[in-house]
Amino acid sequence: MAVSKTKPVSDILSLYELGQRDFGENYVQELVEKQAQLPSDIRWHYIGHLQRNKVKFIAPFVHLIHGVDSFRLLQEISKQADKLNRTIQCLLQIHIAAEETKFGMDEAELTDCLDSVAHGRVAGQFQHIRLLGLMGMASFSEDREKVRSELAGLQSMLKKVEPRLDLNGDSPILSMGMSADYDLALEQGSNMIRIGSSLFGARQYPASTG
Ligand SMILES: *Cc1c(COP(=O)(O)O)cnc(C)c1O
């Protein structure tokens, strides 16, 4: 997937013309503006930290939400999906980096979240949510062994929870790997790497959230 955050519509179109269809953004307003201007067959991935009050803006068109880091966020996505009568595909974000700043659940929170979803489904909730896999970001580190072991940890967590996902025969999605560590991520079983700067060049302004 091509991470086009901060990049102009013209850059996205250049890759689109080469056949790229999956693009990732992590600012809601920027995603909504770009989606309105670009071809409708683009599959838009939301990869940032998502605030609950902003779910409604992307719910009508988003292809896959990667950063679901709490059960409360999933409840809000479910509510918007029900309203639209549209199934929304989600990945649960797991905190695998040593750094405190990264979002995501730990293993216990992941288990709790899946338990709560199963519970809700008995009561008829989450009918429009499809949980397809896990997403994570390793530490920004020169220490390749450390990065490798964080990525390996995410792969083993996916193996554990795979039977609890909504796969209907599809393979689970393991979204991990960025420009700096995609090779290690592929080695550790990633099947969705998120590449920004190696495709588009360095970004002009730093990442924030929302
Ligand atoms: C920006 C971003 C990427 C892409 O990072 P690059 O280092 O530019 O390849 C991947 N994943 C997430 C969640 C991001 O925010």
Side-chain angles (χ1 to χ4, degrees):
M1 179 235 303
V3 177
S4 49
K5 64 186 181 203
T6 81
K7 296 297 175 182
V9 160
S10 56
D11 283 12
I12 298 175
L13 268 181
S14 305
L15 274 197
Y16 178 87
E17 278 153 19
L18 296 172
Q20 179 70 27
R21 290 295 178 273
D22 290 87
F23 290 90
E25 291 280 341
N26 65 352
Y27 309 94
V28 166
Q29 194 182 335
E30 186 178 340
L31 171 54
V32 168
E33 285 169 10
K34 286 175 172 174
Q35 190 268 343
Q37 297 171 62
L38 283 158
S40 61
D41 62 338
I42 287 181
R43 291 184 291 265
W44 290 104
H45 298 249
Y46 189 79
I47 62 172
H49 179 64
L50 183 56
Q51 290 168 295
R52 278 177 293 140
N53 61 357
K54 294 190 176 166
V55 171
K56 58 179 174 288
F57 300 116
I58 64 170
F61 65 86
V62 70
H63 173 69
L64 179 63
I65 299 177
H66 291 233
V68 179
D69 59 0
S70 72
F71 179 66
R72 289 177 76 200
L73 174 58
L74 198 62
Q75 282 178 307
E76 176 61 23
I77 297 169
S78 174
K79 183 175 132 192
Q80 298 299 331
D82 286 345
K83 256 193 213 171
L84 295 162
N85 197 24
R86 175 175 193 261
T87 295
I88 299 183
Q89 309 187 112
C90 296
L91 304 181
L92 299 172
Q93 183 172 357
I94 307 302
H95 187 279
I96 55 171
E99 289 124 61
E100 278 297 319
T101 51
K102 298 218 167 101
F103 294 101
M105 305 184 221
D106 62 24
E107 194 161 1
E109 289 165 336
L110 171 63
T111 302
D112 285 351
C113 180
L114 291 169
D115 288 348
S116 299
V117 171
H119 220 83
R121 281 193 169 139
V122 173
Q125 295 164 358
F126 302 106
Q127 299 302 314
H128 291 104
I129 293 290
R130 252 195 108 188
L131 293 177
L132 291 180
L134 302 181
M135 179 268 208
M137 288 170 91
S139 296
F140 289 113
S141 170
E142 299 283 296
D143 182 349
R144 306 260 297 168
E145 279 315 311
K146 175 177 165 182
V147 171
R148 179 182 275 126
S149 84
E150 290 173 1
L151 296 166
L154 188 58
Q155 184 187 32
S156 66
M157 226 183 275
L158 179 68
K159 286 198 176 126
K160 279 191 220 163
V161 300
E162 187 176 334
R164 307 192 67 184
L165 302 175
D166 309 313
L167 297 174
N168 302 331
D170 291 336
S171 297
I173 295 176
L174 185 53
S175 168
M176 63 181 192
M178 307 169 39
S179 294
D181 61 4
Y182 73 90
D183 57 330
L184 291 177
L186 290 170
E187 177 198 292
Q188 296 304 321
S190 172
N191 54 18
M192 193 170 281
I193 55 173
R194 310 179 305 265
I195 306 295
S197 44
S198 297
L199 284 170
F200 292 106
R203 285 177 292 276
Q204 295 304 306
Y205 55 93
S208 70
T209 58

